[in-house]
Amino acid sequence: MTDNESLPQSRPQLRSLRHPSRRSVLQLLGAGATVPALSSLAACGGSSGGPQQAGKGELSLVYLGDATQQKAFKQLFDAFHKDHPDIKIKANGIAAKDWGSFANTVSTQIAGGKIPDIVDVATEGQQLFSSKGLLEPLDDYIKKDKSVTDAFYEGIDPHLKQWTTKYGSPDGKTYFIPGGYNTVVMYCNTEVFDKAGVDLPAADWTWDEFEKAAKQIKEKTGAYMLGIGYGFPFVDIMPWLLTNGASTMDADWKKATFDSPEAIEAAKFVKKLVDAGYAPKPGGTFDAPSAYAKGKLATIGGGRWPTLDIRRVKMVDKTRIVNWPKNSENGSPVGWDGWPILKASKKKDMAWTFLKWLMSKEAGEFYASIGGTNVPALTSVAQSKTFTKDAPKGSKLLSEAVSFGTPIPSPAKGAEVQTAVTKGWQAAITGTSSVEAALKKANTQIQGFL
């Protein structure tokens, strides 16, 4: 999971709908996107330039976040320390507003001699970081510890490796070990559906079925169907585009496609839902988890992170997860963690020891067991009882969605792109401009940033 994901969106802070966006949540448990589930607790790997300290000392780790995330991160580091008692992790959360600011802050710190060993980078920042030349190629480490890395890559969805290579490597070298991820599904309040006499689908449903359910639920219970917004593209915008064969840009992140006929159709459909009163007016304050628990909201959209709210309001047994409704095809944005080693680090071997630990099944199961906010990278862990325990029925759909998912578009100028996307969608679904005009204007702006 990608955090707010952000730039393009990376981990934003809590927004008006008051459920965490990928950016803030992806931080809650160390996750700017997560903690991966990965494969064997072997010793140190290869080395590459500069003084090396392979087995003892302190590693510094930087992530996008603040002091409140330190407590959750500490649980992960304590687990690592039990397996590697001679290595201590010192984490530093940087409360930057987006990935551009975060990267600039880290660059400034490096220039001033404050060099971290590892940086937790969500999807939205991977191209940005690798393009700045801040990261150490990991290919020699991966080759030297082939038994560990092969087992890991064989255990994760192949898309994660392919996407990390395509979008996180400007020169063909490997800079990131992919970690946990987030897709987007719908959490459905079974009490509201039952009260309205609406049958939930087993997994898949259509836009038309979703709209009909919204109408019946509104008439029978007065509840809203979904909290519709525009400030968090990962959930507010991308699922609607992708389930209609559209996106904000092409697969190479070179051409803006936000004004395609399919994108316009998606925006018009969402506007229709808002106009019909099936969602609270976008832009106001709406406490989605509270409304959900009180039977005033039928669904919540999101990745793994809403599970934390569902547990908090004691609705796990009254919730079922289904895929996002589709028009032309199933679709979901995907955001994942990338774990690199800084080129300027003097402790690369030690840092690789940590990355290898993250690739272990043990690390993935530990993260899942403490209630991680994303899907563990190892499929076996994501489909296990460790992950689905105390989680809504249908939670396995989160890991299955990666098979038809699309990486959240995250070009180097992701912050600027996100602003254009957000403002364009806002104008389109609130009616301050025609849908066609709003998306065309935004598309022109996006292309300028690409």
Side-chain angles (χ1 to χ4, degrees):
M1 2 116 150
T2 44
D3 312 193
N4 200 53
E5 229 67 322
S6 61
L7 7 219
Q9 31 274 341
S10 190
R11 328 171 190 174
Q13 301 307 313
L14 294 182
R15 21 177 310 254
S16 59
L17 287 182
R18 295 187 58 189
H19 50 204
S21 55
R22 192 175 160 247
R23 168 171 159 182
S24 66
V25 188
L26 289 183
Q27 302 169 191
L28 291 179
L29 287 177
T34 89
V35 172
L38 323 200
S39 133
S40 178
L41 307 168
C44 302
S47 78
S48 140
Q52 299 292 312
Q53 298 180 31
K56 187 174 183 179
E58 185 176 85
L59 280 173
S60 60
L61 186 151
V62 175
Y63 64 97
L64 179 61
D66 55 31
T68 60
Q69 280 81 49
Q70 289 279 0
K71 294 179 181 179
F73 250 130
K74 187 177 184 301
Q75 294 182 71
L76 179 73
F77 301 148
D78 286 347
F80 168 74
H81 187 64
K82 288 180 180 179
D83 287 306
H84 299 274
D86 291 331
I87 300 177
K88 183 178 179 180
I89 303 291
K90 182 179 180 180
N92 176 30
I94 296 177
K97 64 185 178 69
D98 56 45
W99 279 109
S101 300
F102 178 73
N104 288 336
T105 299
V106 173
S107 298
T108 300
Q109 290 182 349
I110 291 174
K114 190 175 182 180
I115 303 169
D117 301 299
I118 301 169
V119 181
D120 178 21
V121 186
T123 310
E124 293 87 341
Q126 289 171 22
Q127 189 172 102
L128 181 65
F129 266 79
S130 59
S131 67
K132 283 180 170 287
L134 295 172
L135 310 179
E136 177 72 12
L138 301 178
D139 303 274
D140 288 345
Y141 291 101
I142 291 171
K143 184 178 179 179
K144 184 169 183 177
D145 281 306
K146 194 172 185 296
S147 62
V148 173
T149 54
D150 280 357
F152 170 62
Y153 285 124
E154 289 171 4
I156 68 176
D157 188 287
H159 288 99
L160 292 178
K161 182 178 180 181
Q162 295 166 8
W163 292 335
T164 302
T165 298
K166 178 174 181 177
Y167 300 113
S169 176
D171 55 11
K173 297 178 182 177
T174 304
Y175 293 100
F176 299 95
I177 296 297
Y181 58 89
N182 262 303
T183 52
V184 173
V185 295
M186 274 194 178
Y187 290 70
C188 300
N189 187 327
T190 57
E191 284 192 328
V192 172
F193 277 79
D194 288 345
K195 187 176 180 180
V198 177
D199 292 331
L200 271 169
D204 295 336
W205 51 346
T206 66
W207 285 4
D208 286 343
E209 291 170 334
F210 180 81
E211 184 179 8
K212 289 177 182 177
K215 183 175 186 296
Q216 189 166 331
I217 286 171
K218 188 70 173 180
E219 292 174 349
K220 298 289 186 180
T221 72
Y224 290 120
M225 187 64 174
L226 176 69
I228 290 175
Y230 47 74
F232 180 28
F234 193 78
V235 172
D236 292 336
I237 302 174
M238 293 306 301
W240 295 114
L241 296 177
L242 295 172
T243 52
N244 201 38
S247 186
T248 55
M249 59 191 73
D250 67 7
D252 294 322
W253 301 349
K254 300 296 184 183
K255 180 181 179 181
T257 60
F258 198 31
D259 63 350
S260 70
E262 294 80 9
I264 290 172
E265 182 181 24
K268 286 183 175 180
F269 177 74
V270 174
K271 183 179 187 301
K272 182 167 63 168
L273 298 176
V274 172
D275 292 345
Y278 302 148
K281 288 295 182 182
T285 297
F286 181 70
D287 188 335
S290 178
Y292 188 88
K294 293 176 181 178
K296 297 180 180 180
L297 182 65
T299 70
I300 290 177
R304 171 65 167 182
W305 64 86
T307 293
L308 302 186
D309 275 327
I310 298 300
R311 290 170 178 165
R312 178 174 59 81
V313 298
K314 304 186 185 307
M315 290 289 289
V316 171
D317 294 335
K318 299 173 183 177
T319 297
R320 186 145 67 85
I321 291 175
V322 298
N323 287 325
W324 200 272
K326 63 182 177 180
N327 192 34
S328 65
E329 60 191 60
N330 278 326
S332 171
V334 183
W336 64 94
D337 248 6
W339 293 90
I341 296 174
L342 270 289
K343 180 179 292 186
S345 170
K346 303 299 184 182
K347 306 173 184 178
K348 296 185 180 70
D349 282 359
M350 197 188 303
W352 177 246
T353 298
F354 178 68
L355 265 59
K356 282 196 300 179
W357 182 80
L358 287 179
M359 284 188 272
S360 70
K361 181 179 180 181
E362 290 84 350
E365 289 180 336
F366 173 80
Y367 182 71
S369 70
I370 64 172
T373 54
N374 62 343
V375 184
L378 286 178
T379 302
S380 63
V381 177
Q383 293 281 312
S384 72
K385 290 183 179 179
T386 303
F387 182 70
T388 60
K389 181 181 179 180
D390 193 25
K393 182 179 180 181
S395 289
K396 289 183 179 181
L397 291 176
L398 283 160
S399 59
E400 294 173 5
V402 77
S403 67
F404 54 75
T406 299
I408 178 74
S410 306
K413 291 189 176 181
E416 295 87 342
V417 168
Q418 177 177 322
T419 297
V421 169
T422 297
K423 288 184 176 180
W425 193 260
Q426 176 183 1
I429 69 171
T430 60
T432 57
S433 175
S434 72
V435 171
E436 290 86 351
L439 297 194
K440 182 177 181 180
K441 178 180 179 180
N443 197 70
T444 298
Q445 294 173 336
I446 294 169
Q447 190 60 56
F449 296 127
L450 301 182

